[in-house]
Amino acid sequence: MNLEFESDWQTLPHSRKRYVLASLIAAIIFLLLLLRLWQLQIISNDHYRTLSEKNRTRYIPITAQRGRIFDRDGKLLADNRPAFDVAVLRQEVDDPSLLLERLAGFLSIDREELRKRWNAGKRLPRYRPITLAWDVDRDTLEKIMENTVDLPGVLMETRPVRSFPLGAVAPHFLGYLGEIAEKDLKLPEFEEYSPGDVVGKAGIEKKLEHVLCGINGERRVEVDVQGKSMRILKTQDPQPGNQVVLTLQASLQQVAEKAFDGQAGAAVVLDVHTGEILAITSQPTFDPAQFARGLTTREWRALQNNPLKPLQNRAISGQYPPGSIFKIVTALAALKAGAARPDTRVNCEGSTTVGNHTFRCWKRRGHGVTDLRKALKESCDVWFYEVALNVGIDRIAAMARELGLGSALGFQVGMEKGGLIPDRAWKKARYGTSWYLGETLNASIGQGYILTTPLQLATMTAAVANGGTVFRPHIVKSIENLTSGIVQQTEPEILHRADLSAQHLNAVRKGLEAVVNEPGGTAWKSRLEELPYAGKTGTAQVVKLRDDIKDEKLIPYRFRDHALFAAYAPARNPEIAVAVVVEHGSHGSSAAAPIAKTIIAHYFGLDKQPSSDKTLSSE
């Protein structure tokens, strides 16, 4: 058979042979084309359909409205306003370097910085715009719109950013927003975020990021070959974030902030029956609106280099010796241990001696014969020195912890510090040495190793006012969904109840009432005639100064004593507790107590001026 075919092929004319070969080659090519067409139309249909749609479809993200933040009375603290961002579609850019150079001129941003943002955005799908500038002003916006011919692929996006209708109210606790860090994008909780997205960086904004952020939407738009929009194909509406209602009272918060009048420090106001924070401020403060629009390098350096450290949250992370406020603890510890009674009398001659050391009272002339009530009223150091010798540091420390001192309270927001309440075991573990008797005397008046935060002092004062219940302080009242209503409500949480007798508490309270409402009390000048309240002044030594310094103005600011005051109001049937710390304010009576008085007067709707009576008090 093969021989016959070879014979037939050899007998064919030369032209016939060429025709057969050409036909065979054409058939093979046609078969290959059919196979390729079958692959494109059948096997790879979905893939190429998607590519085709991407070539004519633009996906424009729609940023969700961030949840708003309100005070307890419905006053808006944090809202949203429209901001304009400059973004670029990569597929429409032939020369990225030229485009970035042109944009750098319009945006006044270094070209290398724009290149970094461009490269970071390459991780996005190609059809997603890369954002290069955020919240540009209207003048810049108009210039870019006028030059779109020379800026291929550039588009303007609108998104909501934070605004603050009442100004910088409680910024340390509301917090601020910023661009998500590259390291955070790798975390599981941020897997839905993209480079350039804005997230909470501090305070409520950070703590409740996933509550406030909402869910972004998307608009799919058909474009022509030049990239111009032709029609909207589909819109997926964004879902706004949940609203957060705080326990703060905006007007009280503003009064507390203004009362510092440029001084550094902190104030906390608590509801004594729930632990709700009605006002909390750290001074000096900062403007969160700067973070919302984006800080300039100069603004950031100014905040970082400010010697008063405005970004530090003093109310929860500032740790201060409590000074004579701690005498409340020493008194309760002594009464509970039976080491003293309300009528225990000590003759204060201005100092007491233990071993070779003399421990002085703030009043060099002494207070004379003093009982508990007078010791609290006039803040006699010697009474507490003598009583502390019988109580001992371990029982004083135990009482302090019962009242909420010495450890973090589990506050909802921020980097809360725990303070320090020392005892014998702590010193042995920390320094490897024994506890000295003189250290007990220092501790009895709130000096030495003891450290507390303003939040802890307010919590302790609230416990004294309400009968010994220590509540966990909280600032979030509820979380509300715009559609379904309240989704979470914060209920009062009791951390523990101090083991205190009503008799002992009443004895201490009488002394605290005398501090404010009786002549000779260290806070007499800050009394309110219409509303008796109770409190305790304190002065915390920063460094030991020479005894011969008479003019306090000669003491450098950083070496001056801290001024403190803790109070509850009214004295009978208390409602609120207040703690105030004024850094380097010198005296609690003259620097901290007037601030607390202003806060209390506003809360109860009182507006009379302070009494002009004077007192001889260093506390």
Side-chain angles (χ1 to χ4, degrees):
M1 184 72 179
N2 290 337
L3 292 175
E4 292 178 0
F5 174 76
E6 291 177 2
S7 175
D8 292 341
W9 174 259
Q10 290 175 356
T11 58
L12 286 173
H14 185 67
S15 59
R16 180 69 173 170
K17 290 179 181 180
R18 285 188 297 175
Y19 172 77
V20 172
L21 286 173
S23 299
L24 183 61
I25 292 171
I28 293 172
I29 293 173
F30 183 71
L31 179 61
L32 291 174
L33 288 175
L34 283 176
L35 289 173
R36 178 59 175 163
L37 184 62
W38 179 72
Q39 180 194 26
L40 293 176
Q41 293 292 325
I42 306 301
I43 296 178
S44 302
N45 176 65
D46 292 340
H47 172 69
Y48 286 104
R49 181 185 298 275
T50 301
L51 289 179
S52 174
E53 288 179 354
K54 288 183 179 179
N55 286 334
R56 64 181 179 85
T57 305
R58 175 181 296 172
Y59 292 82
I60 301 175
I62 307 173
T63 304
Q65 290 275 346
R66 197 169 180 85
R68 298 188 294 175
I69 302 176
F70 296 85
D71 84 335
R72 64 187 303 113
D73 299 319
K75 293 181 180 178
L76 192 54
L77 302 178
D79 198 1
N80 301 290
R81 63 173 177 82
F84 300 98
D85 299 340
V86 178
V88 178
L89 283 168
R90 278 174 288 168
Q91 64 266 36
E92 298 181 13
V93 180
D94 295 326
D95 189 343
S97 296
L98 178 59
L99 176 65
L100 295 178
E101 184 175 354
R102 289 173 177 172
L103 280 175
F106 288 115
L107 298 171
S108 298
I109 299 176
D110 183 72
R111 185 174 61 176
E112 287 306 310
E113 176 61 27
L114 289 179
R115 183 171 294 280
K116 289 180 183 178
R117 297 177 185 179
W118 173 275
N119 292 332
K122 287 182 178 179
R123 289 175 295 182
L124 293 170
R126 188 167 180 80
Y127 56 86
R128 294 278 190 179
I130 299 175
T131 304
L132 298 179
W134 297 269
D135 199 12
V136 300
D137 58 69
R138 292 191 177 274
D139 290 340
T140 302
L141 175 66
E142 291 175 0
K143 291 178 182 177
I144 291 176
M145 297 300 290
E146 291 171 358
N147 290 271
T148 52
V149 175
D150 298 322
L151 301 171
V154 173
L155 62 127
M156 306 304 298
E157 296 182 320
T158 304
R159 63 179 174 86
V161 299
R162 274 298 193 224
S163 63
F164 305 91
L166 297 181
V169 174
H172 291 91
F173 299 92
L174 265 65
Y176 55 85
L177 306 176
E179 183 181 350
I180 189 169
E182 186 173 350
K183 61 181 178 62
D184 290 337
L185 287 169
K186 301 175 183 178
L187 300 176
E189 59 263 38
F190 293 109
E191 62 182 357
E192 299 296 326
Y193 290 68
S194 302
D197 282 350
V198 172
V199 296
K201 292 287 188 177
I204 295 290
E205 297 281 16
K206 180 178 181 179
K207 181 68 175 179
L208 300 181
E209 165 63 27
H210 296 288
V211 170
L212 291 164
C213 68
I215 301 175
N216 291 338
E218 187 175 70
R219 182 177 294 115
R220 190 169 65 171
V221 180
E222 185 178 7
V223 297
D224 60 17
V225 292
Q226 295 179 339
K228 295 181 179 180
S229 298
M230 296 174 61
R231 64 189 176 103
I232 297 174
L233 300 176
K234 184 179 180 181
T235 298
Q236 180 181 338
D237 293 327
Q239 299 178 27
N242 290 329
Q243 296 183 159
V244 174
V245 179
L246 303 183
T247 60
L248 298 179
Q249 186 184 87
S251 63
L252 187 67
Q253 178 72 27
Q254 290 173 310
V255 166
E257 292 173 352
K258 186 177 179 181
F260 277 83
D261 195 24
Q263 300 176 100
V268 181
V269 186
L270 290 175
D271 183 318
V272 302
H273 300 297
T274 63
E276 288 186 341
I277 293 178
L278 304 175
I280 184 166
T281 182
S282 176
Q283 296 292 321
T285 187
F286 60 89
D287 184 1
Q290 291 182 328
F291 289 88
R293 62 166 169 75
L295 282 173
T296 65
T297 302
R298 178 178 295 180
E299 289 170 339
W300 177 247
R301 286 176 179 170
L303 288 171
Q304 289 289 305
N305 298 331
N306 188 324
L308 295 181
K309 303 184 183 303
L311 293 178
Q312 179 186 354
N313 192 336
R314 290 169 165 83
I316 63 173
S317 63
Q319 300 184 108
Y320 308 89
S324 291
I325 293 176
F326 196 77
K327 291 173 181 176
I328 298 172
V329 176
T330 304
L332 289 170
L335 293 171
K336 182 178 179 180
R341 300 187 308 273
D343 59 355
T344 295
R345 288 175 171 80
V346 172
N347 185 25
C348 173
E349 296 180 344
S351 67
T352 192
T353 301
V354 176
N356 298 324
H357 296 278
T358 298
F359 295 83
R360 299 186 182 280
C361 184
W362 71 266
K363 190 175 182 179
R364 297 303 175 89
R365 300 191 307 273
H367 292 88
V369 178
T370 303
D371 60 8
L372 172 59
R373 188 172 183 278
K374 182 179 177 182
L376 288 169
K377 171 185 171 181
E378 299 181 9
S379 202
C380 174
D381 294 333
V382 170
W383 192 93
F384 290 94
Y385 291 153
E386 294 294 336
V387 167
L389 292 173
N390 296 324
V391 181
I393 186 59
D394 288 342
R395 285 189 286 196
I396 293 174
M399 177 56 66
R401 296 185 185 111
E402 279 199 65
L403 293 172
L405 305 182
S407 60
L409 296 164
F411 184 53
Q412 293 163 311
V413 179
M415 303 296 290
E416 182 193 0
K417 295 290 181 64
L420 174 62
I421 297 298
D423 55 18
R424 294 176 184 276
W426 170 84
K427 190 183 180 190
K428 194 70 175 179
R430 178 69 175 82
Y431 295 104
T433 58
S434 299
W435 185 270
Y436 298 117
L437 198 56
E439 292 173 321
T440 300
L441 271 64
N442 282 332
S444 72
I445 62 168
Q447 296 288 169
Y449 298 112
I450 296 175
L451 293 173
T452 58
T453 68
L455 181 64
Q456 289 175 332
L457 291 177
T459 300
M460 179 197 76
T461 305
V464 172
N466 67 28
T469 302
V470 178
F471 286 97
R472 188 187 304 281
H474 62 277
I475 196 171
V476 177
K477 192 172 184 68
S478 64
I479 298 172
E480 300 178 0
N481 184 277
L482 292 175
T483 304
S484 59
I486 294 178
V487 296
Q488 182 178 323
Q489 186 104 26
T490 304
E491 299 296 335
E493 180 183 354
I494 297 175
L495 292 177
H496 57 265
R497 299 183 190 275
D499 183 16
L500 300 171
S501 74
Q503 181 183 1
H504 294 160
L505 272 173
N506 288 335
V508 170
R509 287 171 180 158
K510 288 178 181 179
L512 299 180
E513 289 180 40
V515 168
V516 179
N517 303 294
E518 294 184 7
T522 55
W524 167 249
K525 287 194 298 183
S526 294
R527 71 191 183 281
L528 286 166
E529 298 288 356
E530 307 90 336
L531 183 80
Y533 66 96
K536 185 71 193 78
T537 55
T539 299
Q541 190 179 67
V542 175
V543 296
K544 186 172 177 58
L545 299 170
R546 299 198 319 267
D547 292 338
D548 59 349
I549 298 178
K550 304 299 182 183
D551 188 354
E552 293 179 349
K553 294 180 181 179
L554 298 178
I555 303 173
Y557 172 79
R558 68 183 184 279
F559 296 147
R560 296 175 189 172
D561 295 341
H562 296 317
L564 303 94
F565 186 64
Y568 59 84
R572 306 296 168 88
N573 301 316
E575 296 180 27
I576 63 171
V578 183
V580 177
V581 176
V582 179
E583 288 187 358
H584 311 293
S586 296
H587 303 295
S589 60
S590 59
I595 293 175
K597 175 189 175 178
T598 299
I599 292 170
I600 293 170
H602 178 80
Y603 181 82
F604 290 100
L606 308 174
D607 57 2
K608 289 189 177 181
Q609 296 300 313
S611 170
S612 60
D613 293 347
K614 296 183 179 180
T615 184
L616 297 176
S617 171
S618 180
E619 279 289 321

